[in-house]
Amino acid sequence: GWFGFNGGSALSAGANAAFACMATQIAAATAAVTWTLWDIKEFGKASVLGTCTASIAGLATITPMAGFIGPKGAFLGGIAAGIICRFFSTTVKEYFGYDDALDVFGVHGVGGFLGTIMLGILCHPVLGGFNDVPMLKQTIVQVYAAVATAVYTAVASYACLLVTEKITDGLRVPPEAEASMLGLDEYSHKESAYSPMK
């Protein structure tokens, strides 16, 4: 899917699509290795969940820049994704205690933001990129775009939450539903989503 998305952004089956796919593969693999090495350093063993999450972090980070960077930029982007997304998905989430079971913010949000900003640097020909705009000028544009998108997303999400809260009489299920061992499928819908394994 991600290869179709990133490679397909070239709107042709040529060199641009090939470079985008190659960058996608390199960043995902590099992020997975980086995150996994950090897991081994910190916990003494690799985590399958960590490695899988890391590859998604690499994919989310490379998406804004896949068509504009070369292998060197993809490698550097993957390293940054493995380090920074892991930090947000573990340390920052734990410190603030926010509910992000699938690490959507730490992986997709932070990774996309990081990739958008890094594009200004990694797209420069010095790093094998395909953009001849001065690095600082492009980076300023990228920072502006990333911050504007983050602000818009936060405001729009908050507005959607307010509307949802009004429609549904609250954003959380009742406390007894959270305390129930039945799960929300049984509590809210009186049905089981999964058959018990025997």
Side-chain angles (χ1 to χ4, degrees):
W2 235 290
F3 291 97
F5 181 72
N6 287 354
S9 295
L11 302 177
S12 66
N16 289 343
F19 264 103
C21 287
M22 180 176 60
T24 301
Q25 177 62 42
I26 291 170
T30 305
V33 169
T34 302
W35 187 311
T36 301
L37 289 174
W38 195 350
D39 275 351
I40 291 169
K41 182 177 184 254
E42 188 172 334
F43 303 116
K45 63 183 180 126
S47 158
V48 173
L49 178 62
T51 303
C52 292
T53 303
S55 66
I56 300 297
L59 293 169
T61 303
I62 197 66
T63 296
M65 51 182 166
F68 303 97
I69 63 171
K72 194 184 308 180
F75 181 74
L76 294 171
I79 291 172
I83 293 169
I84 294 171
C85 292
R86 184 184 185 278
F87 177 73
F88 273 86
S89 296
T90 56
T91 308
V92 173
K93 181 173 75 171
E94 201 173 294
Y95 180 80
F96 287 104
Y98 57 84
D99 184 10
D100 189 11
L102 300 176
D103 291 319
V104 174
F105 175 73
V107 171
H108 294 275
V110 172
F113 188 86
L114 176 66
T116 301
I117 290 174
M118 288 184 72
L119 171 58
I121 298 163
L122 299 179
C123 70
H124 197 271
V126 167
L127 295 170
F130 310 121
N131 189 2
D132 58 0
V133 175
M135 191 184 296
L136 181 60
K137 182 178 180 182
Q138 187 64 49
T139 303
I140 290 169
V141 170
Q142 296 305 126
V143 168
Y144 177 79
V147 170
T149 302
V151 169
Y152 168 77
T153 303
V155 170
S157 296
Y158 185 69
C160 289
L161 282 172
L162 290 177
V163 170
T164 302
E165 185 176 33
K166 295 291 182 201
I167 293 171
T168 62
D169 260 349
L171 295 175
R172 297 193 70 91
V173 295
E176 62 270 13
E178 289 194 26
S180 170
M181 295 303 291
L182 295 174
L184 292 180
D185 294 319
E186 184 65 39
Y187 183 88
S188 299
H189 308 291
K190 304 293 185 253
E191 62 184 21
S192 177
Y194 305 100
S195 301
M197 296 180 66
K198 297 179 182 183

